[in-house]
Amino acid sequence: MTEDLFSPLALRGTEIPNRVMVSPMCQYSCEERDGLATDWHRTHLGARAVGGAGVVMTEATAIEPRGRISPEDLGIWSAEHAEALAPITEFIRSQGSVPATQLAHAGRKASTRRPWEGGGPLQPDEGGWDAVAPSAIPYPGHESPVDVTALSSAEVTEMVDTFAQAAEYALDAGFEIAELHAAHGYLLHEFLSPVANGRDDEYGGSFENRIRFLLEVTDAVRAVWPNEYPLFVRISGTDWLPDRESWTVEQSARLADRLAAAGVDLVDVSSGGIHPDQQLPPSGPNYQVPLAEHVREHTSEAIGIGAVGGITTAEQADALIRNDRADLAIVGREFLRDPQFPLRAARELDALDRVDVPPQYERAF
Ligand code: FNR
Protein backbone atom coordinates (compact mmCIF):
# COMPACT_ATOMS: atom_id res chain seq x y z
CA MET A 1 0.00 0.00 0.00
CA THR A 2 1.32 3.45 -0.84
CA GLU A 3 2.01 5.49 2.24
CA ASP A 4 0.90 9.08 2.39
CA LEU A 5 0.98 12.09 4.70
CA PHE A 6 -1.52 10.54 7.08
CA SER A 7 0.04 7.09 7.33
CA PRO A 8 1.41 6.45 10.80
CA LEU A 9 5.14 5.86 11.13
CA ALA A 10 6.38 3.29 13.62
CA LEU A 11 9.94 3.87 14.85
CA ARG A 12 11.03 1.48 17.58
CA GLY A 13 8.18 1.52 20.13
CA THR A 14 6.88 4.94 19.09
CA GLU A 15 4.00 5.36 16.71
CA ILE A 16 3.97 8.76 15.06
CA PRO A 17 0.36 9.36 13.97
CA ASN A 18 1.22 11.13 10.67
CA ARG A 19 4.21 12.31 8.65
CA VAL A 20 4.28 15.99 9.61
CA MET A 21 6.89 17.21 12.08
CA VAL A 22 7.29 20.71 13.44
CA SER A 23 10.84 21.72 12.54
CA PRO A 24 12.93 22.95 15.47
CA MET A 25 12.67 26.73 15.61
CA CYS A 26 14.34 29.04 18.14
CA GLN A 27 11.86 31.25 19.91
CA TYR A 28 14.32 33.40 21.90
CA SER A 29 11.68 33.59 24.60
CA CYS A 30 13.30 32.66 27.94
CA GLU A 31 12.96 36.23 29.15
CA GLU A 32 14.86 35.54 32.39
CA ARG A 33 17.82 34.23 30.37
CA ASP A 34 17.76 31.02 32.42
CA GLY A 35 16.89 28.50 29.70
CA LEU A 36 13.61 27.66 31.45
CA ALA A 37 10.50 27.09 29.34
CA THR A 38 7.88 29.82 29.63
CA ASP A 39 4.22 30.33 28.77
CA TRP A 40 5.39 31.22 25.27
CA HIS A 41 6.88 27.75 24.73
CA ARG A 42 3.84 26.09 26.22
CA THR A 43 1.48 28.01 23.96
CA HIS A 44 3.63 27.83 20.84
CA LEU A 45 4.37 24.09 21.04
CA GLY A 46 0.94 23.24 22.43
CA ALA A 47 -0.84 25.02 19.59
CA ARG A 48 1.00 22.93 17.01
CA ALA A 49 0.03 19.72 18.82
CA VAL A 50 -3.58 20.90 18.75
CA GLY A 51 -3.03 21.60 15.05
CA GLY A 52 -2.36 17.92 14.41
CA ALA A 53 1.42 17.64 14.00
CA GLY A 54 2.64 14.06 14.24
CA VAL A 55 5.80 15.24 16.01
CA VAL A 56 6.20 18.54 17.83
CA MET A 57 9.88 19.33 18.24
CA THR A 58 11.30 22.03 20.49
CA GLU A 59 13.73 24.63 19.30
CA ALA A 60 17.50 23.99 19.59
CA THR A 61 17.69 23.29 23.33
CA ALA A 62 21.09 23.93 24.83
CA ILE A 63 22.86 21.16 26.72
CA GLU A 64 24.86 23.72 28.74
CA PRO A 65 24.66 27.50 29.15
CA ARG A 66 27.59 28.13 26.76
CA GLY A 67 25.73 26.16 24.11
CA ARG A 68 22.95 28.71 23.69
CA ILE A 69 22.76 30.72 20.48
CA SER A 70 21.22 33.61 22.41
CA PRO A 71 20.74 34.15 26.16
CA GLU A 72 17.00 33.66 25.61
CA ASP A 73 17.31 30.09 24.23
CA LEU A 74 15.76 27.06 25.89
CA GLY A 75 18.10 24.87 27.92
CA ILE A 76 18.12 21.35 29.32
CA TRP A 77 21.03 21.29 31.76
CA SER A 78 19.28 20.74 35.13
CA ALA A 79 16.33 19.04 36.82
CA GLU A 80 14.65 22.45 36.95
CA HIS A 81 14.77 22.68 33.16
CA ALA A 82 13.16 19.26 32.88
CA GLU A 83 10.41 20.27 35.33
CA ALA A 84 9.63 23.41 33.33
CA LEU A 85 9.24 21.34 30.15
CA ALA A 86 7.24 18.47 31.67
CA PRO A 87 3.77 20.08 31.46
CA ILE A 88 4.47 20.92 27.82
CA THR A 89 5.35 17.36 26.83
CA GLU A 90 2.33 16.11 28.77
CA PHE A 91 0.03 18.44 26.86
CA ILE A 92 1.60 17.54 23.49
CA ARG A 93 1.03 13.86 24.25
CA SER A 94 -2.57 14.52 25.38
CA GLN A 95 -3.24 15.83 21.87
CA GLY A 96 -1.95 12.65 20.24
CA SER A 97 1.36 14.16 19.09
CA VAL A 98 4.82 12.87 19.92
CA PRO A 99 6.95 15.31 21.97
CA ALA A 100 10.52 15.71 20.67
CA THR A 101 13.46 17.87 21.58
CA GLN A 102 16.51 19.04 19.68
CA LEU A 103 19.65 18.73 21.82
CA ALA A 104 22.04 21.44 20.75
CA HIS A 105 25.29 23.24 21.37
CA ALA A 106 25.94 26.44 19.45
CA GLY A 107 29.75 26.09 19.49
CA ARG A 108 31.44 29.12 17.87
CA LYS A 109 28.06 30.59 16.88
CA ALA A 110 27.02 31.01 20.54
CA SER A 111 26.33 34.25 22.36
CA THR A 112 24.39 36.35 19.89
CA ARG A 113 21.60 38.87 20.33
CA ARG A 114 18.15 37.67 19.41
CA PRO A 115 17.22 38.63 15.85
CA TRP A 116 14.74 41.32 16.74
CA GLU A 117 17.39 43.00 18.89
CA GLY A 118 19.75 43.15 15.94
CA GLY A 119 21.38 39.69 16.02
CA GLY A 120 25.20 39.50 15.94
CA PRO A 121 27.64 38.74 18.73
CA LEU A 122 26.85 39.61 22.33
CA GLN A 123 30.04 40.29 24.28
CA PRO A 124 30.62 39.01 27.82
CA ASP A 125 30.27 42.53 29.25
CA GLU A 126 26.84 42.79 27.59
CA GLY A 127 25.51 39.55 29.07
CA GLY A 128 27.16 37.20 26.56
CA TRP A 129 29.98 34.70 27.03
CA ASP A 130 33.07 33.29 25.31
CA ALA A 131 32.52 30.39 22.94
CA VAL A 132 34.06 26.94 22.55
CA ALA A 133 34.60 25.12 19.27
CA PRO A 134 36.79 22.42 17.69
CA SER A 135 39.34 25.10 16.77
CA ALA A 136 39.91 28.69 17.84
CA ILE A 137 38.55 30.05 14.56
CA PRO A 138 35.70 32.53 15.02
CA TYR A 139 32.69 32.31 12.70
CA PRO A 140 33.74 34.58 9.82
CA GLY A 141 30.23 35.94 9.36
CA HIS A 142 30.35 37.88 12.61
CA GLU A 143 31.92 41.30 12.96
CA SER A 144 33.77 41.49 16.33
CA PRO A 145 32.94 37.90 17.32
CA VAL A 146 33.19 36.69 20.90
CA ASP A 147 36.41 34.89 21.84
CA VAL A 148 36.52 31.27 20.73
CA THR A 149 38.62 28.64 22.50
CA ALA A 150 39.38 25.19 21.10
CA LEU A 151 38.12 22.37 23.31
CA SER A 152 40.94 20.21 24.68
CA SER A 153 40.50 16.49 24.08
CA ALA A 154 39.57 16.06 27.77
CA GLU A 155 36.91 18.76 27.29
CA VAL A 156 35.60 16.96 24.21
CA THR A 157 35.09 13.88 26.38
CA GLU A 158 33.32 16.02 28.99
CA MET A 159 31.09 17.46 26.26
CA VAL A 160 30.08 13.93 25.24
CA ASP A 161 28.99 13.34 28.85
CA THR A 162 27.16 16.67 28.91
CA PHE A 163 25.10 15.61 25.86
CA ALA A 164 24.22 12.34 27.61
CA GLN A 165 23.31 14.17 30.82
CA ALA A 166 21.05 16.52 28.84
CA ALA A 167 19.39 13.53 27.19
CA GLU A 168 18.62 12.15 30.66
CA TYR A 169 17.02 15.44 31.65
CA ALA A 170 15.07 15.42 28.36
CA LEU A 171 13.80 11.97 29.22
CA ASP A 172 12.75 13.20 32.68
CA ALA A 173 10.93 16.05 30.93
CA GLY A 174 8.82 13.47 29.06
CA PHE A 175 10.27 13.67 25.54
CA GLU A 176 9.97 10.58 23.40
CA ILE A 177 12.24 11.58 20.50
CA ALA A 178 15.63 13.24 20.88
CA GLU A 179 17.32 14.88 17.90
CA LEU A 180 21.02 15.77 17.93
CA HIS A 181 21.59 19.11 16.21
CA ALA A 182 24.57 18.43 13.95
CA ALA A 183 23.67 21.06 11.33
CA HIS A 184 23.79 24.80 10.58
CA GLY A 185 27.35 25.47 11.70
CA TYR A 186 26.85 24.66 15.38
CA LEU A 187 29.20 22.58 17.53
CA LEU A 188 28.56 19.06 16.19
CA HIS A 189 28.63 20.32 12.59
CA GLU A 190 31.79 22.31 13.33
CA PHE A 191 33.56 19.04 14.12
CA LEU A 192 32.24 17.41 10.92
CA SER A 193 33.32 20.16 8.56
CA PRO A 194 36.95 20.88 7.67
CA VAL A 195 35.86 24.51 7.29
CA ALA A 196 35.64 24.89 11.09
CA ASN A 197 37.68 21.90 12.25
CA GLY A 198 41.43 22.44 12.01
CA ARG A 199 42.34 19.97 14.79
CA ASP A 200 45.33 17.71 14.51
CA ASP A 201 44.27 15.19 17.15
CA GLU A 202 41.91 12.21 16.75
CA TYR A 203 38.95 14.60 16.26
CA GLY A 204 40.30 16.40 13.18
CA GLY A 205 41.72 15.75 9.74
CA SER A 206 40.35 12.59 8.14
CA PHE A 207 36.64 11.86 7.66
CA GLU A 208 36.87 9.21 10.40
CA ASN A 209 38.36 11.71 12.81
CA ARG A 210 35.88 14.50 12.00
CA ILE A 211 32.85 12.25 12.56
CA ARG A 212 34.28 10.82 15.80
CA PHE A 213 32.76 13.42 18.15
CA LEU A 214 29.27 13.02 16.67
CA LEU A 215 29.54 9.23 16.85
CA GLU A 216 30.70 9.40 20.46
CA VAL A 217 27.80 11.71 21.33
CA THR A 218 25.41 9.40 19.47
CA ASP A 219 26.66 6.36 21.39
CA ALA A 220 26.46 8.18 24.72
CA VAL A 221 22.94 9.49 24.07
CA ARG A 222 21.74 6.17 22.63
CA ALA A 223 23.00 4.50 25.82
CA VAL A 224 20.70 6.61 28.01
CA TRP A 225 17.81 7.05 25.56
CA PRO A 226 15.44 4.12 26.04
CA ASN A 227 15.60 1.40 23.45
CA GLU A 228 11.93 1.85 22.59
CA TYR A 229 12.37 5.60 21.84
CA PRO A 230 13.68 6.98 18.53
CA LEU A 231 16.83 9.05 18.08
CA PHE A 232 17.15 11.53 15.19
CA VAL A 233 20.15 13.51 13.94
CA ARG A 234 19.84 16.74 11.96
CA ILE A 235 22.73 17.27 9.58
CA SER A 236 23.68 19.87 7.05
CA GLY A 237 23.63 17.73 3.90
CA THR A 238 26.26 20.02 2.43
CA ASP A 239 28.18 23.18 3.38
CA TRP A 240 27.43 24.63 -0.09
CA LEU A 241 31.12 25.52 -0.43
CA PRO A 242 32.21 23.72 -3.62
CA ASP A 243 35.28 25.96 -3.96
CA ARG A 244 37.06 24.52 -0.89
CA GLU A 245 37.49 21.46 1.24
CA SER A 246 34.19 21.24 3.06
CA TRP A 247 31.34 18.94 4.11
CA THR A 248 29.60 17.40 1.10
CA VAL A 249 26.53 15.33 0.35
CA GLU A 250 28.72 12.29 -0.34
CA GLN A 251 30.14 12.53 3.18
CA SER A 252 26.60 12.94 4.51
CA ALA A 253 25.57 9.63 2.97
CA ARG A 254 28.63 7.90 4.42
CA LEU A 255 27.85 9.44 7.80
CA ALA A 256 24.20 8.31 7.61
CA ASP A 257 25.34 4.70 7.30
CA ARG A 258 27.48 5.08 10.40
CA LEU A 259 24.65 6.76 12.30
CA ALA A 260 22.27 3.95 11.33
CA ALA A 261 24.77 1.41 12.66
CA ALA A 262 24.94 3.44 15.90
CA GLY A 263 21.18 3.18 16.43
CA VAL A 264 19.97 6.44 14.89
CA ASP A 265 16.48 6.03 13.44
CA LEU A 266 16.18 9.06 11.18
CA VAL A 267 18.46 11.64 9.58
CA ASP A 268 16.85 15.04 9.19
CA VAL A 269 18.60 16.57 6.17
CA SER A 270 19.01 20.35 6.24
CA SER A 271 22.02 22.27 4.88
CA GLY A 272 24.46 25.15 5.22
CA GLY A 273 25.33 27.44 8.10
CA ILE A 274 29.07 26.83 8.50
CA HIS A 275 30.42 29.81 6.54
CA PRO A 276 28.94 33.03 5.11
CA ASP A 277 30.46 32.29 1.65
CA GLN A 278 28.02 29.40 1.22
CA GLN A 279 26.37 29.24 -2.19
CA LEU A 280 22.83 28.48 -1.11
CA PRO A 281 20.23 27.68 -3.75
CA PRO A 282 17.15 29.93 -3.71
CA SER A 283 14.90 28.89 -0.84
CA GLY A 284 12.05 27.72 -3.09
CA PRO A 285 9.78 24.70 -2.74
CA ASN A 286 11.63 21.55 -1.58
CA TYR A 287 14.97 23.34 -1.91
CA GLN A 288 16.85 20.83 0.26
CA VAL A 289 14.97 17.68 -0.76
CA PRO A 290 17.58 16.61 -3.38
CA LEU A 291 20.09 16.33 -0.51
CA ALA A 292 17.71 14.11 1.47
CA GLU A 293 17.17 11.99 -1.63
CA HIS A 294 20.89 11.63 -2.22
CA VAL A 295 21.36 10.41 1.35
CA ARG A 296 18.41 8.03 0.96
CA GLU A 297 19.75 6.59 -2.28
CA HIS A 298 23.33 6.19 -1.12
CA THR A 299 22.93 4.59 2.28
CA SER A 300 23.14 0.85 2.58
CA GLU A 301 21.87 0.68 6.16
CA ALA A 302 18.15 1.14 6.79
CA ILE A 303 17.55 4.63 8.18
CA GLY A 304 14.59 6.99 8.05
CA ILE A 305 14.93 10.25 6.14
CA GLY A 306 13.37 13.58 7.05
CA ALA A 307 13.06 16.26 4.38
CA VAL A 308 12.95 19.93 5.34
CA GLY A 309 12.98 23.26 3.57
CA GLY A 310 10.31 25.03 1.59
CA ILE A 311 7.52 22.59 2.38
CA THR A 312 4.43 24.77 2.50
CA THR A 313 1.46 22.99 0.91
CA ALA A 314 -0.53 19.87 1.68
CA GLU A 315 -0.05 18.38 -1.78
CA GLN A 316 3.68 18.98 -1.71
CA ALA A 317 4.12 17.34 1.71
CA ASP A 318 1.88 14.43 0.70
CA ALA A 319 3.80 13.90 -2.56
CA LEU A 320 7.11 13.65 -0.66
CA ILE A 321 5.75 10.68 1.27
CA ARG A 322 3.75 9.09 -1.56
CA ASN A 323 6.74 9.17 -3.88
CA ASP A 324 8.93 7.73 -1.15
CA ARG A 325 11.29 10.69 -1.23
CA ALA A 326 11.21 10.96 2.58
CA ASP A 327 9.62 9.39 5.66
CA LEU A 328 8.82 12.65 7.41
CA ALA A 329 7.86 16.04 6.01
CA ILE A 330 9.46 18.57 8.35
CA VAL A 331 7.81 21.96 8.24
CA GLY A 332 9.24 25.18 9.66
CA ARG A 333 7.99 28.58 8.62
CA GLU A 334 4.63 27.36 7.32
CA PHE A 335 3.94 26.26 10.90
CA LEU A 336 4.64 29.81 12.08
CA ARG A 337 2.05 31.06 9.61
CA ASP A 338 -0.45 28.32 10.39
CA PRO A 339 -0.31 26.14 13.50
CA GLN A 340 -3.09 24.00 12.03
CA PHE A 341 -1.12 23.06 8.92
CA PRO A 342 -1.76 19.28 9.36
CA LEU A 343 -5.50 19.69 9.99
CA ARG A 344 -5.79 22.03 7.03
CA ALA A 345 -3.85 19.54 4.93
CA ALA A 346 -6.25 16.76 5.97
CA ARG A 347 -9.16 18.94 4.93
CA GLU A 348 -7.60 19.79 1.57
CA LEU A 349 -6.60 16.19 0.88
CA ASP A 350 -10.00 14.83 1.88
CA ALA A 351 -8.46 12.88 4.75
CA LEU A 352 -10.29 14.30 7.76
CA ASP A 353 -11.36 10.78 8.72
CA ARG A 354 -7.68 9.96 9.30
CA VAL A 355 -6.85 12.71 11.80
CA ASP A 356 -8.18 13.49 15.26
CA VAL A 357 -9.77 16.92 15.01
CA PRO A 358 -10.00 18.28 18.57
CA PRO A 359 -13.70 18.25 19.50
CA GLN A 360 -13.42 21.94 20.44
CA TYR A 361 -12.63 22.71 16.78
CA GLU A 362 -14.89 20.19 15.05
CA ARG A 363 -17.31 22.77 13.73
CA ALA A 364 -14.52 24.27 11.65
CA PHE A 365 -13.60 21.02 9.91
C1 FNR B 1 14.90 27.93 12.32
N1 FNR B 1 15.64 26.79 12.01
C2 FNR B 1 16.21 26.04 13.01
N2 FNR B 1 16.79 24.85 12.73
C3 FNR B 1 17.24 24.05 13.73
O1 FNR B 1 17.73 22.97 13.44
N3 FNR B 1 17.14 24.45 15.04
C4 FNR B 1 16.60 25.64 15.38
O2 FNR B 1 16.46 25.95 16.57
C5 FNR B 1 16.15 26.50 14.35
N4 FNR B 1 15.62 27.72 14.61
C6 FNR B 1 14.90 28.40 13.65
C7 FNR B 1 14.13 29.51 13.99
C8 FNR B 1 13.33 30.14 13.04
C9 FNR B 1 12.48 31.30 13.43
C10 FNR B 1 13.34 29.65 11.70
C11 FNR B 1 12.47 30.29 10.64
C12 FNR B 1 14.13 28.59 11.36
C13 FNR B 1 15.55 26.21 10.66
C14 FNR B 1 14.23 25.47 10.50
O3 FNR B 1 14.11 24.38 11.40
C15 FNR B 1 14.05 24.92 9.08
O4 FNR B 1 15.06 23.97 8.84
C16 FNR B 1 14.13 26.02 8.00
O5 FNR B 1 13.31 27.13 8.38
C17 FNR B 1 13.70 25.52 6.63
O6 FNR B 1 12.39 24.99 6.69
P1 FNR B 1 11.10 25.86 6.20
O7 FNR B 1 10.99 27.03 7.10
O8 FNR B 1 11.37 26.26 4.78
O9 FNR B 1 9.94 24.91 6.33
Side-chain angles (χ1 to χ4, degrees):
M1 200 185 81
T2 307
E3 297 189 314
D4 65 22
L5 199 59
F6 297 100
S7 306
L9 176 65
L11 292 175
R12 297 181 183 256
T14 294
E15 178 153 300
I16 300 171
N18 62 55
R19 303 308 182 93
V20 186
M21 179 172 114
V22 178
S23 203
M25 283 181 285
C26 289
Q27 297 296 298
Y28 313 99
S29 292
C30 301
E31 298 296 338
E32 303 297 326
R33 299 183 159 196
D34 51 9
L36 295 174
T38 64
D39 283 349
W40 178 270
H41 302 97
R42 186 197 283 242
T43 307
H44 166 72
L45 297 166
R48 279 137 193 95
V50 169
V55 179
V56 175
M57 183 164 289
T58 67
E59 67 191 65
T61 302
I63 61 155
E64 61 157 9
R66 285 182 306 184
R68 293 168 297 167
I69 301 165
S70 81
E72 293 84 7
D73 287 12
L74 266 184
I76 184 77
W77 62 78
S78 77
E80 207 189 339
H81 291 88
E83 277 161 32
L85 286 159
I88 301 180
T89 62
E90 200 180 317
F91 181 77
I92 291 171
R93 200 175 269 111
S94 77
Q95 298 306 300
S97 301
V98 179
T101 188
Q102 189 183 48
L103 301 176
H105 193 297
R108 68 180 188 171
K109 287 171 81 177
S111 191
T112 60
R113 260 172 246 284
R114 51 185 169 183
W116 60 88
E117 287 169 356
L122 190 67
Q123 299 300 328
D125 62 1
E126 303 169 307
W129 56 93
D130 292 338
V132 291
S135 302
I137 315 169
Y139 176 67
H142 287 163
E143 237 175 79
S144 25
V146 295
D147 279 347
V148 181
T149 311
L151 290 167
S152 68
S153 63
E155 287 168 334
V156 173
T157 306
E158 274 170 40
M159 196 66 85
V160 172
D161 293 341
T162 307
F163 265 101
Q165 178 68 257
E168 290 191 283
Y169 288 129
L171 193 62
D172 294 343
F175 290 106
E176 206 167 318
I177 297 174
E179 172 170 282
L180 302 177
H181 192 355
H184 303 167
Y186 298 115
L187 187 68
L188 287 161
H189 181 194
E190 288 162 13
F191 272 84
L192 296 176
S193 174
V195 173
N197 182 345
R199 299 178 74 95
D200 55 13
D201 64 0
E202 70 271 32
Y203 293 102
S206 66
F207 172 79
E208 285 301 321
N209 283 356
R210 284 181 281 113
I211 68 171
R212 190 180 310 279
F213 177 50
L214 174 58
L215 291 183
E216 287 181 357
V217 170
T218 302
D219 284 344
V221 169
R222 191 66 270 180
V224 299
W225 202 245
N227 205 27
E228 67 272 21
Y229 284 176
L231 177 63
F232 294 1
V233 175
R234 171 166 278 199
I235 59 169
S236 278
T238 172
D239 285 342
W240 299 119
L241 292 163
D243 61 339
R244 66 196 80 171
E245 208 198 334
S246 58
W247 185 256
T248 60
V249 74
E250 290 76 23
Q251 293 174 69
S252 291
R254 281 173 72 192
L255 172 67
D257 266 333
R258 302 294 291 276
L259 293 174
V264 171
D265 302 286
L266 181 136
V267 196
D268 162 356
V269 187
S270 186
S271 71
I274 202 83
H275 196 285
D277 290 349
Q278 60 185 0
Q279 294 169 30
L280 281 179
S283 127
N286 291 348
Y287 68 98
Q288 295 173 142
V289 174
L291 301 170
E293 278 184 309
H294 181 98
V295 174
R296 193 183 212 36
E297 283 160 18
H298 292 83
T299 40
S300 36
E301 303 268 350
I303 191 160
I305 297 289
V308 63
I311 304 172
T312 59
T313 73
E315 270 163 34
Q316 188 193 358
D318 190 45
L320 284 174
I321 309 299
R322 277 183 189 276
N323 299 329
D324 207 21
R325 298 178 78 189
D327 300 294
L328 273 186
I330 304 175
V331 176
R333 288 163 294 175
E334 189 58 26
F335 257 121
L336 300 185
R337 290 184 279 266
D338 181 5
Q340 324 272 68
F341 173 73
L343 294 182
R344 176 162 56 87
R347 190 158 180 256
E348 288 172 13
L349 298 171
D350 210 9
L352 279 172
D353 56 330
R354 296 173 62 202
V355 291
D356 289 326
V357 176
Q360 295 91 332
Y361 290 2
E362 248 166 21
R363 287 173 67 183
F365 286 92

